[in-house]
Amino acid sequence: MIDSRRGGWTLTDLISVVVPFFNEEDGIDNLFIEICAAFETIPNSVFEIICVNDGSHDLTLAKLLNHASGDPRIKVIDLSRNFGKEAALTAGLDHATGDAVIPFDADMQDPPNVIAQLVEKWREGYDVVIARRADRSSDSYVKRSTAALFYRAINAISDITIPENVGDFRLMSRATVDALKLLPENCRFMKGLFAWVGGRTAEIEYVRQPRNEGNSKFSGWRLWNLALEGITSFSTLPLRIWTYFGGITALFTFFYALFLIVRTTIHGVDVPGYASILTVVLFLGGVQLMGIGMLGEYLGRIYNEAKRRPSYIVRKVYFQKSLEHEAA
């Protein structure tokens, strides 16, 4: 394999593992143990772990720095505040230098021993190796059902296909990551961006594990907002729906007006009914407000993009030499 960063040919691949952290102090020690153990089974490879502290309020940063001070393979990116997982993942990808990059969740529901399978497939020549969850019984019934509904909906209306039951856990080649870094949008739905970049793709399956430590940071409301972000980022069909609905409503109104003209000509004028008028007015008013709300969703995203604010702000980058210098 040609390594453009080091120059010439090399038999050793550098693999970057990118892990966003937000209040994950309980599982940090076990995470490093299992990731290091997983790479011991992968020949001809070295690795780095890019840890992104996304504004944690607990001892997450202190524990990350403790590990980084004793292991040169660990780099800690400390963000100035909590920007959200998508921004933290973007920060990690921007700082990763590996020949291949693997996003990984700190909750350890994605088993590290699967990394060897990802690397093996990548070495066969694939640009992207996605890890599909073959068994999601560790997730609640509501979460599984809503996730399935979301994937069906977004794949039905978007121009790209987002693989179902696939999270951020995957392997991407250096070329793929460099292509991702060229995408300038601030409203980032990473699963959609991964699919948009494309590349020669392979797939493996694994069983998703229960969360060992801590609690999920994604409430139902945050998951809904993330789903809305994905739909509005990769489809304009929600906007077109109101055009179709308005046209159909106008057509029915036209035929109803013709009916009233004919009936009035034959039978005369009936006493008008306030209830029917009020029902129609309230119904159309509600529909108009829904349409305006959908326009507002897209307009808000245009507003955010127009400001050109960065997706994240790095407070400081820590690695072993910088920590040794601070200690001295």
Side-chain angles (χ1 to χ4, degrees), residues 59-254:
L59 296 177
T60 294
L61 178 60
K63 285 197 169 186
L64 291 176
L65 296 182
N66 182 55
H67 282 277
S69 65
D71 193 333
R73 299 170 297 186
I74 299 173
K75 180 187 292 185
V76 180
I77 313 298
D78 185 28
L79 302 187
S80 61
R81 63 172 178 84
N82 178 245
F83 288 89
K85 184 183 177 185
E86 307 298 282
L89 182 55
T90 300
L93 295 176
D94 288 344
H95 286 82
T97 61
D99 303 302
V101 181
I102 302 174
F104 192 82
D105 288 344
D107 59 16
M108 296 291 291
Q109 288 191 267
D110 302 324
N113 56 24
V114 177
I115 292 175
Q117 301 177 49
L118 298 177
V119 173
E120 181 181 359
K121 277 291 183 183
W122 168 63
R123 285 173 171 170
E124 293 176 8
Y126 292 98
D127 301 302
V128 179
V129 186
I130 60 176
R132 184 184 299 275
R133 301 159 183 170
D135 183 354
R136 297 190 61 172
S137 57
S138 59
D139 295 330
S140 68
Y141 173 77
V142 173
K143 187 173 182 179
R144 294 197 305 270
S145 301
T146 53
L149 180 62
F150 165 74
Y151 282 114
R152 284 198 294 269
I154 195 170
N155 286 328
I157 66 177
S158 67
D159 296 328
I160 61 171
T161 299
I162 299 178
E164 188 172 353
N165 289 326
V166 175
D168 296 325
F169 185 37
R170 66 191 66 210
L171 182 147
M172 297 174 288
S173 67
R174 167 48 48 189
T176 301
V177 174
D178 288 342
L180 274 171
K181 291 165 67 174
L182 295 176
L183 304 182
E185 55 254 58
N186 291 69
C187 300
R188 303 181 71 81
F189 179 65
M190 297 305 293
K191 296 179 184 65
L193 296 180
F194 292 153
W196 187 89
V197 169
R200 188 172 178 229
T201 303
E203 179 182 306
I204 65 167
E205 291 189 344
Y206 73 102
V207 177
R208 189 164 168 81
Q209 304 297 320
R211 187 184 179 102
N212 293 327
E213 304 287 350
N215 299 310
S216 174
K217 309 306 183 297
F218 277 89
S219 62
W221 180 247
R222 291 189 66 185
L223 288 172
W224 163 253
N225 286 331
L226 182 62
L228 195 61
E229 188 79 63
I231 291 172
T232 53
S233 294
F234 289 92
S235 177
T236 57
L237 182 61
L239 290 175
R240 289 195 218 110
I241 286 175
W242 300 106
T243 303
Y244 302 146
F245 187 85
I248 293 171
T249 303
L251 186 63
F252 274 106
T253 303
F254 174 76

